[in-house]
Amino acid sequence: MKFAIRIADTHVLFVFRRCSACKRKRSLRTNSFFARFPKISLGDLMLTIYLWSIDQSRRQTACMLSLSDNAVGRVFRCLEDVCSIDIGRNPIVPFAGRCLVKCDESKFNHKPKYNRGRRTSDLWVFGVISCDTRPSRGYYEVVEKRDRATLLPILAKCLQPGSEVHTDDWGAYDNLEQHLPHLVLRHRIVVHADNFVDPATGVHTQEAESAWAALKGPIKQRRGISREDLQVYLDERMWRQWRGLNQIIANFIPVLASQYVDYVA
């Protein structure tokens, strides 16, 4: 099959390929990601993927391409799904080798303005941050509870034997060396009620606090996120950190293509 498309032709809805052997034509969209959005031009879809890759907001993308917020939101959500599926197929945990990790939990509830509106149940995310790279990279999972029975299996999933763990003084972390003896070589604590950085040991969880700020920023731009969508969003953020690295679009396109195996080039 041979075909050609110019990205500048953002108004083009369909491009056909012609088989050199049988001379039959087939839409470029057939069995591909593009088939999910038949009313959005191919050029606009490619530009939307690019703008998503550079972390442009949904509203800015819609404004730049003269698309509706709803259309851009649907495309972005599908791109997040692609990242989530790839994380599920190729897990990022456990972290490589012995490492220093920092653990924390954070509430992701959308705060109603002036305390008006219906209150929702607390929505918590547990984060395990690997500090062996700069910037740090993490594993994030939505949790129903913050007790030991919930958090320790997640921590165990992320660690290799001989790791050092830094946490605050939340009770679920007590005696980590005893509860995870083959994984946690050393557990150090900072009491946030006294200091953010322990003056005697220098222990802190600032990388975790930075991670929460980075994760919540895009959610604030979206004016909140549903409970059902939060884990998919976290998976996309993890994919960017661990797989996208500094070449998001170059690393993402092969992953996108791999999830449409019925597509015939």
Side-chain angles (χ1 to χ4, degrees):
M1 297 280 189
K2 295 183 179 180
F3 66 92
I5 181 172
R6 293 178 297 168
I7 297 301
D9 294 336
T10 57
H11 64 284
V12 176
L13 283 175
F14 295 96
V15 173
F16 293 94
R17 299 166 296 160
R18 186 183 297 276
C19 177
S20 57
C22 65
K23 305 301 182 182
R24 289 188 302 175
K25 293 194 299 183
R26 185 182 184 183
S27 171
L28 181 63
R29 293 177 184 263
T30 303
N31 294 336
S32 74
F33 172 82
F34 305 113
R36 304 183 67 171
F37 307 97
K39 294 184 179 180
I40 303 178
S41 71
L42 292 172
D44 280 344
L45 279 172
M46 290 300 296
L47 289 172
T48 302
I49 293 172
Y50 170 73
L51 293 172
W52 167 85
S53 75
I54 63 174
D55 225 4
Q56 193 72 263
S57 74
R58 298 183 179 201
R59 176 160 295 184
Q60 289 173 322
T61 299
C63 182
M64 293 171 67
L65 300 181
S66 298
L67 297 174
S68 70
D69 290 348
N70 182 56
V72 172
R74 288 189 294 109
V75 177
F76 274 31
R77 181 59 167 79
C78 288
L79 297 176
E80 290 175 354
D81 282 336
V82 171
C83 294
S84 184
I85 291 171
D86 188 56
I87 288 290
R89 291 176 177 175
N90 306 289
I92 62 174
V93 292
F95 300 152
R98 298 180 181 181
C99 60
L100 169 63
V101 302
K102 303 191 178 184
C103 303
D104 195 22
E105 330 87 53
S106 185
K107 189 187 296 187
F108 272 65
N109 290 60
H110 178 64
K111 296 181 180 179
K113 193 172 184 181
Y114 306 124
N115 292 318
R116 294 177 179 174
R118 183 169 51 186
R119 294 183 178 274
T120 60
S121 58
D122 290 342
L123 183 58
W124 289 90
V125 173
F126 179 50
V128 184
I129 316 299
S130 172
C131 299
D132 282 5
T133 61
R134 290 292 182 271
S136 300
R137 296 180 288 185
Y139 175 81
Y140 313 102
E141 185 171 325
V142 178
V143 293
E144 293 295 328
K145 298 180 179 179
R146 295 185 296 149
D147 58 2
R148 180 177 296 157
T150 301
L151 302 187
L152 293 197
I154 299 174
L155 181 58
K157 181 168 61 176
C158 296
L159 298 180
Q160 294 280 14
S163 298
E164 179 174 334
V165 181
H166 293 181
T167 69
D168 58 19
D169 58 333
W170 180 246
Y173 304 128
D174 288 346
N175 303 313
L176 274 184
E177 298 99 325
Q178 297 178 20
H179 292 290
L180 300 174
H182 302 297
L183 298 174
V184 180
L185 179 66
R186 189 179 189 186
H187 176 213
R188 306 179 76 180
I189 297 173
V190 55
V191 181
H192 282 160
D194 299 331
N195 300 282
F196 286 108
V197 180
D198 191 297
T201 63
V203 173
H204 60 82
T205 57
Q206 297 298 88
E207 289 87 351
E209 299 301 328
S210 297
W212 298 136
L215 288 171
K216 292 179 180 180
I219 292 178
K220 289 180 180 179
Q221 291 181 340
R222 292 163 60 167
R223 298 184 179 180
I225 189 170
S226 69
R227 184 179 294 266
E228 295 75 19
D229 288 346
L230 180 55
Q231 187 60 59
V232 174
Y233 166 77
L234 295 173
D235 290 345
E236 182 232 10
R237 295 287 120 177
M238 287 188 281
W239 190 92
R240 287 177 180 271
Q241 291 180 10
W242 293 91
R243 303 268 162 74
L245 303 174
N246 295 321
Q247 299 181 15
I248 302 290
I249 190 69
N251 292 331
F252 178 75
I253 293 299
V255 172
L256 177 63
S258 72
Q259 294 185 19
Y260 289 85
V261 295
D262 292 332
Y263 178 78
V264 180

